[in-house]
Amino acid sequence: QYDRVREMASSGFGRFGGFPGTGGPGTGGPGRVRVEGAPFDFGGRAGDVGDLGDLFSGLFGGRGARGPTQPARGADLETEVRVSFEDAMAGTTMPVQIRGPAPCQRCRGSGAEPGTPVATCPRCAGTGTETVNQGLFQMTRTCGNCRGSGRIVEKPCRDCAGSGVRHTTRRLQVKVPAGVQDGARIRLAGRGEPGGPGGRPGDLYVVVRVRPHALFGRRGADLTLELPVTYSEAALGAHVEVPTLNGAVTLKIPAGTAPGRTFRLRGKGAPRTRGGHGDLLVTVRVHVPQKLSREERDLLEKLQEAQKESPRARLGPEA
């Protein structure tokens, strides 16, 4: 569209209708040339296509006039802590050590020596960019006076040389809430890398890794437990002690309990973030001993003789 207008302007008449500057059909009024289907107008005399700064600013993502440059926000950081299963259930506080850039303590991140001013760049008026005329075009580039910061530090901080940042080791404390799950991310606002001079710092994300427990598994807020019982306990019924987070409780195993049956102990699971607790899911596993005493073997053989016909009888007369 730009090339078509230049061709039309150089010839004094185009196939867009009307002469430049006449206000005839196809023009945008006196002194304006309008291109059909184009989202812009060119003003001026024939051969004068005006200021294309707005056109190319739009083509390449520009926004026209810019306000003062906003200080850059600092990058986010991420680290890990490992906690035991018991600590994850009860909640704890863990130390975290971060090595990297941090705000300069002397200038508090401003980059200027304490007591000295930080001025707005007079060349770019704080925008961080300057416009350079290149004949027909206008080019926008990083301000060479302030190097894009929009600020002028008259006397740089002697500790950080005006950067506002120093590399150091920071030691923090992170509170791990009760009931935290493996892989949870805890956000510490403003504890990441420092921003540019005057900018907000990033955040620190702490990923919690929970060590597995020897007995308990987990499904959300519910805990799981496999409870071994003997054959006689499953067949005759029994009262069995079951471990929980707060001590053992007694679970009644009804007579004839099949292997794999799950019992739910309400409120005996992991703490919920909004209060309360999940449940403890206890699954019965019938323990088969690998070695038997002589007396146990004799008793089981007698039981086997007594139950020889029982499985077939349960299948019905067609079996």
Side-chain angles (χ1 to χ4, degrees):
Q1 291 171 343
Y2 166 67
D3 291 340
R4 288 165 60 194
V5 172
R6 290 192 60 187
E7 180 183 356
M8 177 271 297
S10 63
S11 64
F13 180 81
R15 55 189 175 89
F16 305 102
F19 290 91
T22 63
T27 69
R32 308 292 294 180
V33 178
R34 191 178 192 283
V35 183
E36 286 189 27
F40 52 85
D41 293 341
F42 292 100
R45 304 179 308 277
D48 180 9
V49 294
D51 184 359
L52 298 180
D54 291 341
L55 166 63
F56 286 98
S57 176
L59 290 177
F60 297 104
R63 299 295 182 188
R66 298 176 56 187
T69 300
Q70 296 297 321
R73 180 182 180 274
D76 293 336
L77 299 178
E78 184 174 288
T79 188
E80 287 187 0
V81 293
R82 296 186 176 273
V83 299
S84 66
F85 189 88
E86 292 79 6
D87 285 340
M89 294 298 101
T92 186
T93 300
M94 297 292 294
V96 175
Q97 184 169 294
I98 302 295
R99 173 68 182 175
C104 175
Q105 295 296 317
R106 180 174 179 80
C107 66
R108 303 195 177 200
S110 70
E113 189 69 16
T116 62
V118 178
T120 301
C121 176
R123 182 184 297 183
C124 65
T127 64
T129 60
E130 57 183 342
T131 302
V132 180
N133 289 318
Q134 298 288 338
L136 185 62
F137 302 97
Q138 283 187 332
M139 306 293 290
T140 300
R141 66 185 182 187
T142 301
C143 177
N145 190 39
C146 64
R147 299 183 180 180
S149 68
R151 306 160 69 251
I152 298 295
V153 177
E154 297 181 0
K155 189 175 181 181
C157 172
R158 69 186 185 192
D159 285 358
C160 64
S163 67
V165 174
R166 296 195 67 186
H167 280 72
T168 184
T169 299
R170 292 182 289 157
R171 294 173 176 82
L172 309 172
Q173 296 289 324
V174 56
K175 184 177 180 180
V176 179
V180 66
Q181 297 195 46
D182 181 66
R185 299 172 81 229
I186 300 175
R187 173 175 171 263
L188 300 181
R191 296 293 188 171
E193 287 192 359
R200 295 188 300 110
D203 299 331
L204 173 63
Y205 290 89
V206 181
V207 181
V208 181
R209 297 301 179 189
V210 181
R211 298 187 185 94
H213 194 270
L215 298 178
F216 297 111
R218 187 167 184 179
R219 297 177 189 169
D222 293 337
L223 299 182
T224 61
L225 175 70
E226 291 192 354
L227 179 67
V229 298
T230 64
Y231 175 79
S232 60
E233 288 174 333
L236 302 176
H239 288 80
V240 182
E241 283 196 346
V242 177
T244 71
L245 295 177
N246 300 315
V249 298
T250 300
L251 174 65
K252 180 181 178 180
I253 304 295
T257 294
R261 180 176 176 181
T262 298
F263 297 89
R264 182 181 294 270
L265 300 182
R266 299 194 178 276
K268 298 299 182 180
R272 300 182 187 272
T273 55
R274 296 183 179 179
H277 289 71
D279 301 331
L280 176 61
L281 308 178
V282 182
T283 301
V284 172
R285 301 298 182 196
V286 176
H287 175 67
V288 178
Q290 295 181 352
K291 293 183 179 180
L292 296 173
S293 65
R294 184 63 185 174
E295 182 181 3
E296 289 173 336
R297 180 177 294 275
D298 291 341
L299 292 173
L300 287 177
E301 287 176 351
K302 292 179 181 179
L303 179 62
Q304 185 179 37
E305 289 295 327
Q307 293 181 337
K308 267 187 178 180
E309 301 300 326
S310 297
R312 185 175 299 177
R314 293 194 191 100
L315 294 177
E318 298 179 359

